[in-house]
Structure formats: C-alpha cells, structure tokens
C-alpha cells in the first residue's frame, strides 16, 4: 500500500510538472509563463515531501529540498515581476513575442 | 492517517491540485487564474501537512497565499483582461507545448511505475521541524548560506530592475554632472 501511495503522489507531482511545462511553453504573457514555472516547482515540492515520508523519513535531505524549492519559487516571483515591470517600462509590452531583441 | 485512507485523501488532494493547475491556463479571467494557482498550492500544502511535515506545509500555505495576493495585483495591472469579461487567448505554439507536456508526463510516469522503489527505511523523528532545523543549521548549512546570499542578491537585483531612474540617469555616465537631471527639479546633488 505504501508503495502504491508513493507512486500515486509522484504521478500527481509529474502531472503538475507537465501542466506547468505546457503553460510555460504555450503562454505569451510574462506573468502567465511565471505561473507555469511555479506549477513545475509545485510538483517538485510535492515529490520531495513524498520521498521524505515514504522512503527516508530518518534523514532530512528531502525536507531541505522542499525548503530550497520554496526559496526558488520566491526568487522566481520576485525577479519575474521585476523583469516584467522593467520590460513594460522600457517597451510598453507584456508579451514575450514582442521582446525578441536578443533573438539570433 | 495511514494506509488506504491516506491514499484516498492524498489522491483527492492531488486531483484537486492538478485540476486547479490546468484551470490556470483555461479560465479567461486573470484573477480567476491566480486563485486557481493558489488552490493548487493549497492542495499541495495540505498534502505536506498529511505527510507529517507541519512546518513545510504551513510554509507553503502561508507563503503562497501572500504571493498570490501580490500576484493578483500584478495581473490586474499588466494584463489586458483582468476581469474576464471577454474571451481571451494569448497563446503560441499550443501543439508543440502540449506535445512536450505529454512526453514529460509519459516519461516521468513510466519511471515512477516501473522503478523498484526501496522500502521505507528508518522512522520519522518525533518532531520533523527540529529535524529540518538541525539539518540547515548543521550538516546542510551550505544550503542555508547559499539561500541567504541568493535572497540578498534577489532583493538588490529586484530593486535595481524596478527603479525607474538610477544615478547614471541623473548624474551622467561619469557621475560628474553638476546638477542632477531630474524630471522635477530639486533633487539633491551628489
């Protein structure tokens, strides 16, 4: 039963990661792309929590990974909003399709 | 909570998390998209609480609630259709994105259901918060040090990017302009 529960939770985490990838790749708005990336990290948080509980509860490594993933989410949000604001201030755009100056 | 009950509850929370995650990219209103994302985070936070991780579960719940409250302001500020009063589509390369998502889900699921997972080894400590606290203040302190520096760099970089005019705009490339070039006069010289 424990193994099945772990696999179910990990599958949910994989679905969250896949949903986030679809969103991040298909959306044009900078803010919506950030939401997709947040969903990917959300899946990582869930997978790490499940790995701690079902596999190695005696060692704290997976818990530290959850902590790290939440920090990644906070940093991604802060920098994403700062870049979105800077982009809007410089070009009056909020879509990545309009920000192609660095395209090769 | 153990055994089949845990499986059912975690499965239900997982289904809620995934459905809310999909809704983020389906609904027209930006406010609704933000709160769908919040629902997904809250379901994951509740899952962590069920997995005997009270500190990390509460951290996710509290952090994401505040983060989404800030995000909804940015969404209303930046997006063309914050209220969802008209249909909206801002997507590109949908087919390629869905294909990438399906491939990732299939690859991860194949790994999850074919790997021979090890048995649970060891017992959880009486207080899991103490476990993570001692880890980041002991053997995993490098993680804490790096995280601290990264957060400090994020604060500085965020301020630098969000500031409309810096000292080089005011005082010139060599910072030697006698009077700062301000839109409204009266700024202090350097």
């Amino acid at each position: 039963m424990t193994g099945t529960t772990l696999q179910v939770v990990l599958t949910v985490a994989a679905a969250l990661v896949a949903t986030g990838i679809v969103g991040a790749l298909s959306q044009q708005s900078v803010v919506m792309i950030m939401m997709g990336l947040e969903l990917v990290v959300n899946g990582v948080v869930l997978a790490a929590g499940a790995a701690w509980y079902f596999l190695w509860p005696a060692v704290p490594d997976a818990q530290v990974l959850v902590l790290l993933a939440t920090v990644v989410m906070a940093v991604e949000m802060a920098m994403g909003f700062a870049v979105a604001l800077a982009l809007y201030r410089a070009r009056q755009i909020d879509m990545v399709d309009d920000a192609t100056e660095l395209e090769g | 909570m153990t055994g089949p009950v845990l499986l059912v509850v975690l499965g239900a929370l997982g289904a809620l998390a995934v459905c809310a995650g999909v809704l983020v990219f389906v609904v027209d209103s930006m406010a609704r998209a933000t709160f769908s994302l919040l629902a997904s985070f809250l379901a994951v936070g509740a899952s962590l609480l069920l997995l005997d991780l009270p500190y990390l579960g509460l951290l996710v719940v509290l952090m994401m609630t505040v983060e989404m409250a800030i995000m909804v302001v940015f969404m209303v500020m930046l997006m063309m259709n914050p209220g969802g009063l008209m249909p909206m589509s801002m997507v590109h390369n949908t087919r390629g994105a869905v294909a990438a998502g399906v491939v990732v889900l299939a690859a991860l699921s194949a790994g999850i259901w074919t790997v021979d997972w090890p048995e649970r080894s060891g017992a959880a400590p009486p207080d899991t918060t103490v476990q993570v606290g001692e880890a980041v203040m002991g053997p995993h302190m490098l993680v804490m040090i790096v995280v601290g520096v990264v957060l400090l760099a994020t604060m500085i970089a965020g301020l630098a990017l969000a500031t409309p005019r810096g000292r080089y705009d005011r005082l010139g490339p060599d910072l030697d302009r006698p009077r700062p070039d301000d839109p409204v006069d009266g700024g202090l010289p350097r």
Side-chain angles (χ1 to χ4, degrees), chain A residues 26 53 63 77 89 94 97, chain B residues 67 78 92 113 120 131 162:
Chain A
S26 66
Y53 182 83
Q63 283 207 66
M77 283 285 282
R89 190 172 278 137
D94 66 341
D97 287 1
Chain B
E67 201 172 296
L78 286 174
H92 57 185
W113 289 93
R120 189 181 201 210
Q131 188 190 32

Side-chain angles (χ1 to χ4, degrees), chain A residues 48 52 56-67, chain B residues 53 56 125 128-136 139-140:
Chain A
W52 176 83
W56 304 286
V59 284
D61 298 26
Q63 283 207 66
V64 175
L65 184 59
V66 174
L67 206 60
Chain B
L53 294 172
L56 295 174
T128 55
T129 311
V130 170
Q131 188 190 32
V132 69
E134 285 180 343
V136 294
H140 290 81

Side-chain angles (χ1 to χ4, degrees), chain A residues 13 15-27 29-45 69-81 83 96, chain B residues 21 24-25 37 40-41 64 67-68 71:
Chain A
L16 285 173
V17 169
T19 310
I21 287 175
V22 172
L25 289 180
S26 66
Q27 296 292 321
S29 159
V30 179
V31 187
M32 290 299 279
I33 290 172
M34 282 163 54
M35 287 183 143
L37 296 177
E38 294 262 311
L39 266 181
V40 173
V41 185
N42 198 19
V44 173
V45 166
T70 48
V71 172
V72 168
M73 282 202 265
V75 169
E76 181 249 314
M77 283 285 282
M79 291 317 297
F81 281 140
V83 168
V96 285
Chain B
V24 170
F25 305 109
L37 188 61
S40 181
F41 281 124
M64 287 307 142
E67 201 172 296
M68 291 304 124
M71 192 165 200

